[in-house]
Amino acid sequence: MKPLIEDFTALLQKSVPSTAGDKRFWSSLHGSALGLSLAELAQQHDGLTLLVCESTLAADQLELQLQFFLGENSDTEILHFPDWETLPYDTFSPHQDIVSERLLTLFKLPLTQKAILLVPITTLLHRIAPQSYISANSLVIDIAQQLSIKRFRRQLEQVGYQCVDTVYEHGEFAIRGSIIDLFPMGSQHPYRIELFDEEIESLRTFDTENQRTLEKVDNIRLLPAREFPLDKDGINYFLDCWHEKFDINHRQCGLYQDVSAGIASAGLEYYLPLFFEQTATLFDYLPENTLTVCYGDIEHSLSSFWQEINNRWEQHRGDTRRPILKPHDIFIAKEEFYSALKQRPRINIVGDQQSKSSNTTDFPFSEAPSLP
């Protein structure tokens, strides 16, 4: 058994591209052999492994395989950049838990040393907030740190957190005397901050069901509540960009009026480019030593998604009460996507029936026998 494992490892090492633009093909990865090979690849690669999948289902299935093969004690972290789970130009917003996971991944990516990032191709095509927005609106709170409740409340409200009586969901905070309850975006648990004068005396997690504290922690990492700024500067910039983009009566547009009042109107995510001078893509967040792996029929998924985008653009473009941005303002074009892929070494997972080239590696795996 040991020689087989050594042969597989040696074959994998020889088939990994190392320079930008270098493209290799992997074949004969049947069943769970794909998850095993990708887990081994991620552990050998000194950096981030970007796994681009043809669909959300494929990404979820591979994530389960990677969790199994890497195990709980692996030093290779599995990151997931989830889809909004909305259709292009939808008039409702993604769930806060989805936004929370996306923001946490964006915060982690530039600092990542060794990890796997799974992302469906349709998610990768969205334009997103620039890295400067995420870093400028994130902070860490430590024990014994000085904290002014008044300034802290203003800071939370500026990055989109909502003041409530009792904290239950991500993006909420509550203040009761010298106690601050806070449910940060990207966090699995809410936190209770206890102050002595203006010094943080203790940090604890608590249960949203019974509001009882659970365990002590040393610090808290805060992320913005949304993927766009809804503070005074963000609102003003949005309104200026709106008038540049749309030549209509803004008084008849409910979304415009909501943003003017500081309200995150449903579906505002599809107007994200109006909040920034320049948007980014997920590629802009990736560390330099990123290895890309493409799994599935990426070309077909890319074409199908752009067809859906254009169809929905045609359906909704005539609504003067809710004008929409052009597709290329919100999504990455095919040419831009492939250009970004060429900037890094890449592996394409191909089927046995596809034509082979000199850059194709056939792994020693075979299909399981048919057992009706």
Side-chain angles (χ1 to χ4, degrees):
M1 186 69 178
K2 187 176 180 180
L4 289 175
I5 296 175
E6 291 177 348
D7 290 345
F8 164 67
T9 302
L11 181 62
L12 186 142
Q13 289 175 340
K14 291 191 297 183
S15 60
V16 176
S18 57
T19 58
D22 187 6
K23 183 169 65 173
R24 307 291 180 88
F25 299 89
W26 285 9
S27 181
S28 301
L29 293 173
H30 304 286
S32 296
L34 176 60
L36 172 64
S37 302
L38 292 176
E40 184 69 21
L41 170 68
Q43 292 183 97
Q44 291 185 14
H45 178 59
D46 186 22
L48 177 73
T49 303
L50 172 65
L51 182 53
V52 183
C53 302
E54 65 178 355
S55 65
T56 300
L57 177 61
D60 292 341
Q61 291 175 338
L62 272 180
E63 184 174 2
L64 292 175
Q65 292 186 31
L66 290 169
Q67 289 173 350
F68 173 79
F69 287 115
L70 289 173
E72 296 180 356
N73 300 321
S74 173
D75 62 346
T76 303
E77 185 179 8
I78 300 176
L79 300 175
H80 190 206
F81 190 67
D83 192 81
W84 278 338
E85 297 183 6
T86 60
L87 296 174
Y89 300 109
D90 257 347
T91 56
F92 59 90
S93 296
H95 194 276
Q96 279 292 87
D97 289 346
I98 293 176
V99 176
S100 175
E101 186 175 1
R102 286 168 61 92
L103 288 167
L104 179 61
T105 299
L106 292 178
F107 179 80
K108 285 182 174 181
L109 274 178
L111 309 173
T112 297
Q113 299 295 324
K114 195 176 188 67
I116 298 178
L117 172 63
L118 295 104
V119 56
I121 177 62
T122 53
T123 308
L124 188 56
L125 294 182
H126 285 257
R127 299 191 184 277
I128 58 178
Q131 189 175 334
S132 58
Y133 167 71
I134 303 297
S135 58
N137 293 283
S138 304
L139 67 137
V140 173
I141 298 176
D142 296 301
I143 292 286
Q145 177 181 324
Q146 295 295 310
L147 183 69
S148 166
I149 291 181
K150 185 177 181 180
R151 286 198 298 268
F152 188 56
R153 174 174 184 156
R154 186 166 58 248
Q155 185 177 15
L156 289 173
E157 290 175 340
Q158 286 177 347
V159 296
Y161 281 77
Q162 182 179 5
C163 185
V164 296
D165 294 330
T166 306
V167 169
Y168 291 109
E169 297 182 348
H170 286 100
E172 295 181 341
F173 73 97
I175 299 176
R176 301 185 305 278
S178 61
I179 296 176
I180 304 172
D181 287 348
L182 176 67
F183 204 155
M185 302 300 287
S187 173
Q188 294 183 351
H189 306 285
Y191 296 93
R192 181 158 292 156
I193 306 170
E194 296 182 9
L195 300 175
F196 181 75
D197 288 336
E198 290 194 349
E199 181 178 303
I200 298 176
E201 189 174 38
S202 71
L203 298 171
R204 299 173 184 266
T205 59
F206 70 91
D207 190 334
T208 56
E209 295 296 327
N210 54 34
Q211 297 293 307
R212 293 180 179 177
T213 57
L214 300 175
E215 59 181 357
K216 291 184 177 181
V217 295
D218 296 326
N219 56 62
I220 302 174
R221 195 178 305 278
L222 291 184
L223 300 172
R226 301 181 183 87
E227 295 183 49
F228 49 85
L230 207 57
D231 55 8
K232 183 178 179 181
D233 291 338
I235 292 172
N236 289 336
Y237 192 81
F238 174 93
L239 300 181
D240 291 341
C241 291
W242 177 283
H243 292 296
E244 291 180 8
K245 287 285 185 181
F246 307 121
D247 184 19
I248 59 174
N249 184 0
H250 62 272
R251 295 178 182 84
Q252 297 180 353
C253 301
L255 185 138
Y256 179 96
Q257 302 302 326
D258 284 348
V259 176
S260 300
I263 300 172
S265 187
L268 189 54
E269 286 73 17
Y270 286 99
Y271 297 84
L272 182 145
L274 299 183
F275 286 97
F276 302 104
E277 184 176 347
Q278 185 173 1
T279 55
T281 69
L282 190 61
F283 290 108
D284 297 320
Y285 282 80
L286 303 179
E288 289 187 8
N289 55 343
T290 297
L291 172 63
T292 304
V293 179
C294 294
Y295 167 58
D297 195 343
I298 299 297
E299 173 63 29
H300 175 73
S301 298
L302 186 61
S303 299
S304 297
F305 186 57
W306 261 106
Q307 183 176 357
E308 181 183 20
I309 293 170
N310 289 324
N311 288 341
R312 290 184 64 82
W313 154 255
E314 291 296 337
Q315 292 173 9
H316 298 281
R317 61 183 297 188
D319 188 353
T320 57
R321 293 181 177 272
R322 191 183 177 95
I324 57 177
L325 294 171
K326 294 179 180 179
H328 288 283
D329 290 334
I330 312 173
F331 303 97
I332 305 172
K334 292 183 182 180
E335 298 77 15
E336 188 176 352
F337 168 74
Y338 285 115
S339 175
L341 282 185
K342 293 177 182 177
Q343 303 304 315
R344 294 178 172 84
R346 177 171 31 132
I347 297 171
N348 282 10
I349 309 298
V350 298
D352 293 349
Q353 70 280 5
Q354 294 178 252
S355 57
K356 307 293 178 65
S357 67
S358 58
N359 287 337
T360 302
T361 300
D362 284 312
F363 283 86
F365 299 104
S366 57
E367 293 187 75
S370 177
L371 301 173

